[in-house]
Amino acid sequence: MAEWADQLAELVASRGAELQRYGFLLTGDRAEAADLVQEALVRVFTRPRRAWRLGEIEGYVRRTMLNRYLDLYRRRARYRELVPRLAESPVGPDDSDRLADRHQLLDALGALSPTQRACVVLRYYEDLPVAAVAERLGRREGTVKRHLSDALARLGVALADVRAGIEEGATP
């Protein structure tokens, strides 16, 4: 029993921040990311194996996080269909251009479908090739390429203002 507890402690100490960032990229919310990490750790370590290495554990936790994120999104989508959602109060504009650009990026990521967002995170954050993304998601490579293409097109349109601001700021 002490062995898996040591493995859990080592994983959280050495890779906990990376797991939090991964969860944040998937969910777009720090609290949901923390919940996602915690739930994945609980799910993975409720039935620990005896001969796990740190890299194997982290990969298994990331896969559990991805599956859980997609499952939660599907449930929320069904819930939204059944129960009308209350209007959210608009967030006031941020004075910092840098933070505004970050919010615009997060909004653009939030506008993607969960599968598109997962493809983008796996491809560009985890730097996986298309074949590995397809394997992780259980999809064909052509399907993943199509999701990436659609996602990048949507992100390009949504982030055109950010790019224009960067290009203007780069010239003296």
Side-chain angles (χ1 to χ4, degrees):
M1 180 168 147
E3 182 179 328
W4 71 264
D6 293 339
Q7 290 175 338
L8 175 61
E10 182 182 352
L11 176 67
V12 171
S14 64
R15 303 298 294 167
E18 277 296 317
L19 291 173
Q20 289 287 339
R21 281 191 286 275
Y22 180 66
F24 178 76
L25 287 172
L26 287 173
T27 62
D29 182 72
R30 290 188 195 284
E32 284 187 41
D35 289 345
L36 193 63
V37 171
Q38 184 175 358
E39 191 167 331
L41 290 172
V42 167
R43 286 176 182 250
V44 169
F45 283 97
T46 53
R47 292 188 231 164
R49 296 185 199 172
R50 290 183 182 206
W52 261 346
R53 291 184 310 221
L54 184 61
E56 292 173 344
I57 297 171
E58 182 182 358
Y60 197 59
V61 169
R62 283 179 182 254
R63 177 63 185 197
T64 303
M65 289 171 64
L66 177 64
N67 289 343
R68 186 65 183 149
Y69 162 72
L70 292 172
D71 288 344
L72 287 172
Y73 186 84
R74 284 185 208 113
R75 285 188 187 136
R76 287 181 187 153
R78 278 185 255 149
Y79 180 77
R80 279 188 217 117
E81 289 175 6
L82 297 175
V83 178
R85 206 170 155 190
L86 297 174
E88 294 181 8
S89 60
V91 177
D94 195 348
D95 294 333
S96 171
D97 290 338
R98 186 171 149 193
L99 287 177
D101 290 348
R102 181 178 177 182
H103 287 294
Q104 191 172 2
L105 173 62
L106 291 175
D107 289 343
L109 282 172
L112 299 176
S113 74
T115 305
Q116 288 174 343
R117 187 171 182 154
C119 286
V120 168
V121 169
L122 292 172
R123 177 70 178 105
Y124 297 103
Y125 180 72
E126 287 202 14
D127 199 26
L128 295 176
V130 173
V133 173
E135 183 180 327
R136 277 237 187 130
L137 294 176
R139 311 269 173 142
R140 294 183 181 188
E141 284 186 44
T143 304
V144 169
K145 288 178 184 178
R146 180 63 183 178
H147 283 302
L148 285 170
S149 175
D150 292 346
L152 292 177
R154 291 177 74 182
L155 288 173
V157 170
L159 300 176
D161 295 336
V162 174
R163 271 197 316 251
I166 290 171
E167 291 170 2
E168 288 176 11
T171 58

